[in-house]
Amino acid sequence: MLMTLILYLVLGAFAGLAAGLFGIGGGLLIVPVLVFSFELQGESAAVLTHMAVATSLATICITSLSSIRAHQKRGAVAWHLFKPLAVGILVGAVIGVNTAVMLPGHLLQIALGVFVILVAAQMAFNLQPPQGSDAPGKKELVLSGGVIGWASSIFGIGGGTLTVPYLSWRRQEMRVAVATSAACGLPIALMGSVTNIWVGWDHPELPAWSLGYVYLPAFAGIIISSTPFARLGARLAHSLPQAVLKKCFAVFLLLVGLRFLLSNL
């Protein structure tokens, strides 16, 4: 158990560092590495991918709080956008978890592989949508929140990968888009975690120390180390060649995505 906890402390440190350096959610790193570590631990293929997604969402419940607090101090969170987005997110996250549970582990890994490759391409080529002609209405925000919550809870991410481009496209300045996206990560993670605990409760193939699909040793190790290393990553981002680092991380994500695809096709 001690070696397992150390492994997750190291994972949390890397996830936090990546989040601080690149401004992305740590889930993009946490989910693939948890999948690989659960495979090495001999966990059942039927549940290990779902465990990785659920555990990632649970960690985001904690790590998103410090991010929201930091953005709120600067007055950057657009709460009038967050509220309708959150309504859709809460519904979408429940549907997303139930969608993921219906998928066999290998199909979920294929979907994850495709998503990670798309994110790698976006990072490598700095792809950004053009700004739209007007700001979004409430109905659009609720619907968009539903789609973001659905996809994010399937892939175990806080939604920044989807929310920031969407808000930027809908004519929100980048500072507001990033801050509001950070706030949206909390309802995604909370509802996704609660639903994963509910649907995974008493699953016969889950290991000891599991709360539904959330694996508690991984959760504890990651949250202990991710927050301080996220602060370090944010400081390093101002002194390191971020464009080069981003392309290196994109190559890492590409390799991870290809590994998921090639091992499951």
Side-chain angles (χ1 to χ4, degrees):
M1 179 59 71
L2 178 60
M3 291 303 297
T4 301
L5 185 59
I6 291 173
L7 167 67
Y8 296 129
L9 285 168
V10 173
L11 170 57
F14 276 109
L17 196 64
L21 273 173
F22 307 122
I24 62 166
L28 277 173
L29 181 61
I30 291 171
V31 174
V33 176
L34 282 180
V35 168
F36 301 149
S37 65
F38 290 157
E39 287 176 348
L40 292 173
Q41 289 174 233
E43 303 297 348
S44 168
V47 298
L48 66 86
T49 308
H50 301 86
M51 288 168 56
V53 169
T55 305
S56 173
L57 288 169
T59 65
I60 294 168
C61 291
I62 308 300
T63 57
S64 65
L65 292 174
S66 60
S67 178
I68 293 171
R69 195 160 47 240
H71 286 296
Q72 179 57 20
K73 284 181 180 178
R74 294 170 174 83
V77 180
W79 294 109
H80 68 286
L81 298 176
F82 167 80
K83 291 174 183 178
L85 277 170
V87 172
I89 281 169
L90 292 172
V91 176
V94 174
I95 298 172
V97 171
N98 282 279
T99 302
V101 168
M102 289 190 293
L103 294 174
H106 71 284
L107 287 182
L108 186 55
Q109 287 196 23
I110 290 172
L112 183 61
V114 171
F115 178 74
V116 168
I117 289 172
L118 290 175
V119 174
Q122 186 275 330
M123 290 188 70
F125 300 106
N126 197 29
L127 303 175
Q128 299 293 339
Q131 283 199 334
S133 58
D134 51 15
K138 285 188 177 180
K139 289 183 180 179
E140 179 190 325
L141 287 167
V142 172
L143 180 61
S144 300
V147 174
I148 290 167
W150 173 78
S152 300
S153 59
I154 290 176
F155 300 123
I157 60 175
T161 307
L162 303 172
T163 312
V164 172
Y166 166 69
L167 289 176
S168 177
W169 172 56
R170 301 308 280 148
R171 299 191 65 79
Q172 305 303 310
E173 62 174 297
M174 186 56 66
R175 181 180 70 97
V176 172
V178 170
T180 307
S181 170
C184 289
L186 184 58
I188 291 171
L190 276 174
M191 187 58 76
S193 300
V194 170
T195 309
N196 269 299
I197 291 170
W198 176 264
V199 299
W201 197 263
D202 285 337
H203 194 294
E205 294 187 76
L206 288 171
W209 300 99
S210 294
L211 188 64
Y213 283 113
V214 177
Y215 187 54
L216 295 176
F219 168 76
I222 291 167
I223 62 170
I224 288 170
S225 59
S226 61
T227 300
F229 275 87
R231 296 193 191 104
L232 174 62
R235 288 198 295 270
L236 291 174
H238 298 286
S239 58
L240 295 176
Q242 195 173 23
V244 175
L245 290 172
K246 239 180 180 179
K247 285 181 171 56
C248 292
F249 191 62
V251 171
F252 167 77
L253 290 177
L254 175 63
L255 294 174
V256 167
L258 289 174
R259 190 271 187 190
F260 279 141
L261 292 181
L262 296 175
S263 63
N264 288 283
L265 291 176

